[in-house]
Amino acid sequence: MTANEFQRHAIAAHLAQTLAGPARAISGFQELLLEQVQNHSLVHITPDIERVGAAARQLNSLIDSLIHGKADYPDHSGREIEAKLRHDLRTPLNAIIGYSEMILEEAEELHEHALDEDVRVMLAAAAELLAHVDAIAGLSRASDNEGLWTTDQAEIDAAGLERALGKTERDAFSARNGRILVVDDICSNRDLLSRRLLHEGHQVVTAESGLSALTRLAEYEFDLVLLDILMPDMNGIEVLSRLKAERRWRHIPVIMISGLNEVDAVVRCIEAGADDYLLKPFNPVLLRARINSSLEKKRWRDREHQYLQRIEAEKRRADSLLHAVLPGQIVARLQGGEEIIADRFEEVTILFADIVGFSPIAAKLPASDLIKRLDRMFSMFDALAEKHSVEKIKTIGDAYMAACGLPEPAADHADRAVALGKSMLDSLRLLASGSDSFRVRIGVHTGPVIAGLIGRHRFVYDVWGETVNIASRLESQGVADRMQISEATRRALHAPWELEPRCTVELRGVGKMETYLVRH
């Protein structure tokens, strides 16, 4: 074998370890993206995803040809081979990155978070592949400098090849070691594997049987399992089946190692969930390649799991924020795809509560004290509204507005609203402390309203109609520390509330109206 032929062989082996896995991952995520855009009828994104697929196929085809020694590279020097390799590999990678970035921009504009996640994974894989392509340059330069081969050297032994690949890999994979469980009933096999893996920088835990392997799995977290098939107490396929049946272990990659050179054995292992299969005695270069590939797959799965957890956490946070400002039924309708939410309700009870003499109190209180007191009062009102199943609508300055009978109609809407108002007054009396304590007026009216969602940057669920205006007038022309209700609300009550008829009130913009004060 000439020096250049050996160099091409060394580079091909390096490629098998470092490039093939991420390149296959790009193809896999491209296929997932294509299915998603078809399912969501995002036709205008399809051409860019197909361009990514074409570039991924070109990349995988080139890597396969290099791995299998079918690449058409002339008998040039290592530097010339390196330059052509970098050019040929970068061409499809640049296309993948460019089109993926365009897809990512469109996905973000459309708020398609599922697409966004898969595209980011593809971009990360492509960026990592570019780093590996640069590492190929180190292979030929390091090897030339160390004199691993010369132009008049026709042969090189396997140990030399292993040293060449090993040095380049240690440079490229210095931060990519993992914790590996080695399971084999033969002590010498365990020792050999352990020594080699420790030399590569991995953490190693050993098990001499299937049962002890399950014990180790319960004790530690592992990134990879190397599992022998023939063992006395529980064979490797049984251990593999147990491992894949457990939710906490099923994501761990497993490489089966055995002296069985039988297709049936390979098939059974793959069907049982093994990620790879190696024959004993194993080729150390091939073993390293398979281990690195499996660890890389594990890292991708872990990253995907972390991304999904992060997305789920963000979704929960967004849902929590939405539920904090909007009624639950409105949140459900938004998430169901409704863009315009507007409803008419024929009978709803509206409550307004406003602080009496707020301006003089605000003028003499420090800003921080004023905000603390308002927050304490309104937080108390929120808790009471939730207790009485009344929907808080909003606060307007020092006023508090709530409604009952929407977004879900309720037969006892008037009773709930009056009960809330009474609880507000009772709670404020308990909080009273000196001349600066808050006193409120409360007005309640029943009638038809329009309710709906407005805004895009900051959603607001609001209520409109004459019923709202009358409730506000009843509050402003009410009595301090008392709740004033309209005749319409009195008729809607079911419980025997004690009411004091008040003289006819002239409501601005409404006219004369019979009103009542609810007794303490």
Side-chain angles (χ1 to χ4, degrees):
M1 181 185 290
T2 67
N4 284 337
E5 287 173 342
F6 176 79
Q7 188 170 21
R8 285 196 293 273
H9 180 69
I11 291 173
H14 179 78
L15 287 167
Q17 305 176 132
T18 59
L19 302 187
R24 303 290 189 272
I26 290 175
S27 292
F29 277 99
Q30 184 270 341
E31 292 170 0
L32 287 175
L33 276 171
L34 195 57
E35 290 177 7
Q36 289 189 68
V37 298
Q38 290 171 350
N39 291 337
H40 290 80
S41 301
L42 302 173
V43 181
H44 60 289
I45 301 181
T46 303
D48 283 345
I49 295 178
E50 289 177 342
R51 292 184 184 101
V52 171
R57 287 190 293 274
Q58 180 186 352
L59 176 66
N60 278 286
S61 176
L62 176 58
I63 291 172
D64 287 342
S65 66
L66 289 166
I67 290 172
H68 298 298
K70 297 179 181 179
D72 184 19
Y73 286 101
D75 190 17
H76 292 322
S77 68
R79 296 297 175 85
E80 291 170 329
I81 295 172
E82 169 196 312
K84 183 164 178 56
L85 261 178
R86 293 179 67 185
H87 172 270
D88 290 354
L89 289 167
R90 281 180 176 273
T91 299
L93 275 173
N94 288 336
I96 290 167
I97 293 172
Y99 286 117
S100 295
E101 288 174 343
M102 288 190 285
I103 296 166
L104 183 61
E105 291 176 1
E106 292 197 56
E108 290 175 341
E109 290 174 0
L110 295 170
H111 303 291
E112 292 290 340
H113 300 299
L115 297 184
D116 181 284
E117 185 59 27
D118 288 344
V119 176
R120 289 187 187 280
V121 173
M122 280 201 315
L123 281 170
E128 194 160 348
L129 280 170
L130 280 176
H132 291 328
V133 169
D134 290 337
I136 294 171
L139 180 63
S140 63
R141 285 196 293 270
S143 301
D144 285 342
N145 292 337
E146 291 175 9
L148 289 176
W149 57 70
T150 60
T151 53
D152 59 352
Q153 183 179 11
E155 296 288 339
I156 190 166
D157 59 14
L161 173 61
E162 187 175 344
R163 288 195 300 273
L165 293 174
K167 181 182 186 306
T168 304
E169 284 184 14
R170 284 191 293 274
D171 293 339
F173 292 94
S174 58
R176 295 180 174 231
N177 302 320
R179 175 176 283 182
I180 301 175
L181 174 62
V182 175
V183 187
D184 199 310
D185 61 318
I186 298 175
C187 182
S188 59
N189 288 342
R190 293 197 306 274
D191 184 62
L192 178 60
L193 269 174
S194 297
R195 286 170 178 262
R196 187 170 295 282
L197 294 172
L198 288 168
H199 178 71
E200 297 293 333
H202 301 291
Q203 298 178 49
V204 182
V205 176
T206 62
E208 69 281 1
S209 67
L211 291 175
S212 63
L214 296 176
T215 301
R216 299 289 187 276
L217 285 163
E219 294 173 342
Y220 305 103
E221 294 287 333
F222 291 102
D223 299 307
L224 176 65
V225 176
L226 299 180
L227 181 59
D228 188 25
I229 290 183
L230 297 179
M231 292 184 292
D233 61 341
M234 180 186 293
N235 67 50
I237 295 177
E238 291 173 331
V239 176
L240 177 63
S241 299
R242 287 278 298 275
L243 192 147
K244 295 302 178 181
E246 287 279 347
R247 184 176 180 181
R248 55 182 171 158
W249 299 334
R250 67 180 58 161
H251 66 285
I252 304 174
V254 179
I255 298 178
M256 307 301 290
I257 298 179
S258 176
L260 294 175
N261 190 9
E262 296 286 339
V263 173
D264 288 345
V266 176
V267 170
R268 287 186 64 192
C269 291
I270 299 301
E271 287 178 344
D275 294 81
D276 215 330
Y277 188 102
L278 281 173
L279 293 175
K280 290 193 277 186
F282 49 79
N283 181 304
V285 176
L286 184 58
L287 174 68
R288 184 188 300 118
R290 300 289 177 84
I291 288 174
N292 285 336
S293 176
S294 295
L295 289 175
E296 190 66 13
K297 289 177 185 177
K298 171 67 163 49
R299 292 186 185 96
W300 280 111
R301 289 171 188 164
D302 290 345
R303 288 172 196 161
E304 182 181 13
H305 181 65
Q306 291 170 2
Y307 291 148
L308 290 175
Q309 284 185 319
R310 213 173 299 164
I311 290 170
E312 187 59 33
E314 288 299 319
K315 183 178 182 299
R316 286 195 300 269
R317 180 172 174 271
D319 287 348
S320 176
L321 289 172
L322 276 176
H323 280 90
V325 298
L326 299 176
Q329 299 91 329
I330 301 303
V331 173
R333 290 168 65 179
L334 269 177
Q335 293 174 338
E338 288 190 52
E339 295 182 0
I340 298 176
I341 296 178
D343 304 292
R344 180 178 178 85
F345 299 90
E346 294 303 326
E347 196 166 81
V348 170
T349 298
I350 303 293
L351 177 148
F352 273 94
D354 193 50
I355 298 173
V356 178
F358 178 74
S359 296
I361 296 174
K364 56 185 178 181
L365 280 177
S368 59
D369 290 348
L370 179 66
I371 295 301
K372 286 178 183 177
R373 292 184 59 192
L374 283 173
D375 178 64
R376 182 173 63 168
M377 185 184 77
F378 286 145
S379 297
M380 179 181 68
F381 287 178
D382 287 347
L384 292 172
E386 185 175 359
K387 175 183 175 182
H388 292 286
S389 299
V390 177
E391 198 67 53
K392 173 191 174 180
I393 301 301
K394 58 186 173 183
T395 58
I396 313 164
D398 61 318
Y400 188 92
M401 178 184 175
C404 193
L406 59 77
E408 286 291 323
D412 59 345
H413 54 87
D415 293 278
R416 290 189 199 175
V418 170
L420 171 61
K422 189 174 184 305
S423 295
M424 288 175 166
L425 293 171
D426 292 343
S427 297
L428 285 176
R429 275 191 286 273
L430 292 174
L431 287 176
S433 58
S435 58
D436 289 340
S437 60
F438 288 145
R439 303 174 66 197
V440 300
R441 294 183 302 264
I442 296 178
V444 180
H445 180 56
T446 301
V449 298
I450 299 293
L453 197 64
I454 59 173
R456 286 293 177 267
H457 180 60
R458 292 179 180 174
F459 288 119
V460 175
Y461 184 71
D462 213 341
V463 184
W464 301 270
E466 187 180 44
T467 301
V468 177
N469 297 333
I470 292 173
S472 178
R473 300 282 189 274
L474 287 170
E475 173 276 310
S476 62
Q477 295 179 231
V479 180
D481 302 323
R482 301 295 297 272
M483 174 169 39
Q484 182 171 232
I485 69 172
S486 67
E487 172 65 21
T489 299
R490 186 195 68 79
R491 291 195 304 268
L493 291 172
H494 296 293
W497 296 93
E498 293 187 46
L499 306 176
E500 298 176 8
R502 197 181 181 207
C503 59
T504 301
V505 176
E506 182 76 27
L507 297 180
R508 180 166 52 87
V510 177
K512 293 182 179 181
M513 178 174 287
E514 293 291 329
T515 64
Y516 302 83
L517 296 175
V518 180
R519 286 180 181 169
H520 300 318

